[in-house]
Amino acid sequence: MTSITALSRKLDNFGTLSDADHVTLDKAAQGGHQIGPKQDIIREGDKPNTVHLILEGFACRYKLLPDGSRQIVAYLIPGDFCDLHVFIMREMDHSIASLSPCTVVDIPRATILGLLEHPTIAQALRWATLVDEAILREWLVSMGRRPAEQRLAHLMCELLVRLRAVGLAQDGYELPVTQAELADTLGLSGVHVNRSLQSLRITGMIQLRGSSLLIPDVDALMEFSGFSPAYLHLLQQPLR
Amino acid sequence: MTSITALSRKLDNFGTLSDADHVTLDKAAQGGHQIGPKQDIIREGDKPNTVHLILEGFACRYKLLPDGSRQIVAYLIPGDFCDLHVFIMREMDHSIASLSPCTVVDIPRATILGLLEHPTIAQALRWATLVDEAILREWLVSMGRRPAEQRLAHLMCELLVRLRAVGLAQDGYELPVTQAELADTLGLSGVHVNRSLQSLRITGMIQLRGSSLLIPDVDALMEFSGFSPAYLHLLQQPLR
DNA sequence: CGTACTATTGATAGATATCAACGCTGGTGG
DNA sequence: CCACCAGCGTTGATATCTATCAATAGTACG
């Protein structure tokens, strides 16, 4: 395969991209600049005029509540767009921030419009949007019906599969996220995240040293958390 | 305005439809058939070959968990599509069922493709998809960070605004949903929904007799629940 | 007039939040 | 170089929210 960038690799999972499409995508995703951790990339109310694409690092979508608490509603990993919808929506209804240090490209409007003229690329981008929506639905299932430990485990499984899909994980990965951020993601308190992580560690379902996550038995963790990769709509269920 | 159907009215909130577009949409949304309450419309794993549109009644998207519990992840009201993404995705990753009796149209693939040839309609449909995504994000905020009473109140505010946008509500509406279904929606138990509803009634924030919901002071309920309509991306914030 | 679903109520159990404190680490300024 | 500070992880004690269990009552419907 000619895929170089995470974007190209990710969209390859839709299954219909030509070699020429890959080249086109890789060209559009060139460049980029570094930003530090915990920096806002876009803020609620903004109307950005370029499209932001994550090349390296973890970022998140989040919303702030009147009382100051925060809810993270998505994780963005390499290959994910921050605001592809900017051509349709008037303004951002949420903010986006880096979690780890990130490399981000600002892709001009015209470049995106150029991509959309390739029918297969346009379809693949729509597919990516629909997968984002499916992930939101699955997160809602987690929040509504899974207890804390399974919520954590399910998130780890999802990130494993998504990172594998862009070639960035095997049996583990770097999870550059503080426990407080996990709490804001899963609708829990920081203290409870800490205790749930310990429980997952003690039972041997995960190994977590610093931000290095290793999942010794992926099938076991998937079984435990009720994870089923169908909602990610990947071409092959990777290594399963 | 020439809008007849809920679909046409809903998409009018995007702001760029011509009179001819409205006629085209109304034509596509003709017909329909009745189904009873609590009937599956599409099941997880299906690959439907028509697109389903709700004309009347309430429906929901839901997922079942291994332990038999259910999480409702979206409410569908008149004007909402069940599976517009069917041209892209291989199969449904969730199910859809009626809550109340419903009128549903099965729109042939070819008719939808015809609609997508009108650029303004195609844009409006993409807008509708993005609003669905924004609603999912806001539900995630509710599940993660709002206590039971505010979760209930927030849902009621959202449905009020969405129903107003298609001309189906003023200061209240029919909410043909059992307390058990509300529980599956909000990630709560049925008993707790019951008690939270009572609390909302006692404080006078809502009046609920049977399925008739009346909101005496809409601003107060919005304030209480932290509801802000921006995420629905409507043209005018209706009556506010 | 039974049967099933829905709403309601009380009592109890369990999950998770909150509060407070402590240690560790890495950076930074004197 | 060291002292200080901030952020992060950890722990214990307690409070609060929400689930579960069980029973009753109303309601619709055949």
Side-chain angles (χ1 to χ4, degrees), chain B residues 43-60:
Chain B
R43 287 209 185 80
E44 187 168 341
D46 283 358
K47 175 145 183 49
N49 45 23
T50 61
V51 172
H52 299 75
L53 170 69
I54 307 292
L55 288 188
E56 290 174 0
F58 274 50
C60 68

Side-chain angles (χ1 to χ4, degrees), chain B residues 95-109:
Chain B
S95 303
I96 299 178
S98 58
L99 292 166
S100 69
C102 283
T103 309
V104 182
V105 219
D106 293 7
I107 304 180
R109 205 183 174 86

Side-chain angles (χ1 to χ4, degrees), chain B residues 64-82:
Chain B
L64 292 175
L65 281 89
D67 71 350
S69 63
R70 178 172 76 151
Q71 178 64 45
I72 291 175
V73 295
Y75 279 11
L76 303 176
I77 64 171
D80 288 340
F81 282 106
C82 297

Side-chain angles (χ1 to χ4, degrees), chain B residues 38 145 177-180 191 194-195 198 201:
Chain B
K38 301 174 205 316
R145 290 297 178 220
V177 176
T178 67
Q179 293 181 2
V191 171
N194 181 291
R195 290 180 169 132
Q198 289 181 51
R201 267 191 289 233

Side-chain angles (χ1 to χ4, degrees), chain A residues 17-32:
Chain A
L17 293 191
S18 67
D19 283 356
D21 289 335
H22 284 294
V23 172
T24 306
L25 285 168
D26 288 342
K27 205 178 300 173
Q30 272 176 346

Side-chain angles (χ1 to χ4, degrees), chain B:
Chain B
M1 84 166 70
T2 61
S3 309
I4 305 294
T5 63
L7 173 63
S8 176
R9 278 204 180 134
K10 171 183 165 180
L11 296 186
D12 207 35
N13 281 285
F14 180 55
T16 59
L17 293 190
S18 68
D19 283 357
D21 289 335
H22 284 294
V23 173
T24 305
L25 285 168
D26 288 343
K27 206 179 298 174
Q30 271 175 348
H33 60 277
Q34 305 280 140
I35 60 171
K38 301 174 205 316
Q39 303 296 308
D40 274 342
I41 298 173
I42 315 169
R43 287 209 185 80
E44 187 168 341
D46 283 358
K47 175 145 183 49
N49 45 23
T50 61
V51 172
H52 299 75
L53 170 69
I54 307 292
L55 288 188
E56 290 174 0
F58 274 50
C60 68
R61 301 181 191 277
Y62 71 91
K63 285 191 156 200
L64 292 175
L65 281 89
D67 71 350
S69 63
R70 178 172 76 151
Q71 178 64 45
I72 291 175
V73 295
Y75 279 11
L76 303 176
I77 64 171
D80 288 340
F81 282 106
C82 297
D83 45 12
L84 195 52
H85 52 280
V86 89
F87 300 115
I88 304 275
M89 290 311 197
R90 286 165 192 78
E91 59 174 53
M92 293 292 295
D93 59 30
H94 61 278
S95 303
I96 299 178
S98 58
L99 292 166
S100 69
C102 283
T103 309
V104 182
V105 219
D106 293 7
I107 304 180
R109 205 183 174 86
T111 305
I112 298 288
L113 292 174
L115 289 181
L116 293 177
E117 283 167 13
H118 300 256
T120 48
I121 292 180
Q123 271 213 324
L125 291 176
R126 281 196 61 198
W127 167 80
T129 300
L130 293 172
V131 171
D132 285 347
E133 205 181 304
I135 291 172
L136 283 167
R137 283 192 293 266
E138 193 63 36
W139 280 35
L140 220 32
V141 174
S142 269
M143 299 279 274
R145 290 297 178 220
R146 289 196 255 259
E149 287 172 34
Q150 293 180 33
R151 253 185 254 187
L152 266 168
H154 194 280
L155 176 64
M156 288 169 176
C157 288
E158 178 188 298
L159 288 174
L160 179 75
V161 173
R162 286 171 61 189
L163 287 166
R164 278 180 178 173
V166 291
L168 292 175
Q170 295 286 339
D171 299 322
Y173 51 91
E174 288 298 307
L175 185 62
V177 176
T178 67
Q179 293 181 2
E181 287 160 347
L182 284 174
D184 285 346
T185 305
L186 300 170
L188 301 168
S189 70
V191 171
H192 200 61
V193 166
N194 181 291
R195 290 180 169 132
S196 303
L197 279 175
Q198 289 181 51
S199 166
L200 288 176
R201 267 191 289 233
I202 287 169
T203 59
M205 312 208 80
I206 63 168
Q207 288 175 237
L208 186 58
R209 298 186 330 280
S211 63
S212 280
L213 174 66
L214 185 83
I215 302 172
D217 184 342
V218 174
D219 280 350
L221 196 67
M222 288 182 172
E223 165 75 17
F224 168 74
S225 64
F227 179 88
S228 160
Y231 71 97
L232 294 171
H233 295 270
L234 298 175
L235 211 46
Q236 65 271 319
Q237 308 312 338
L239 311 188
R240 237 213 142 170

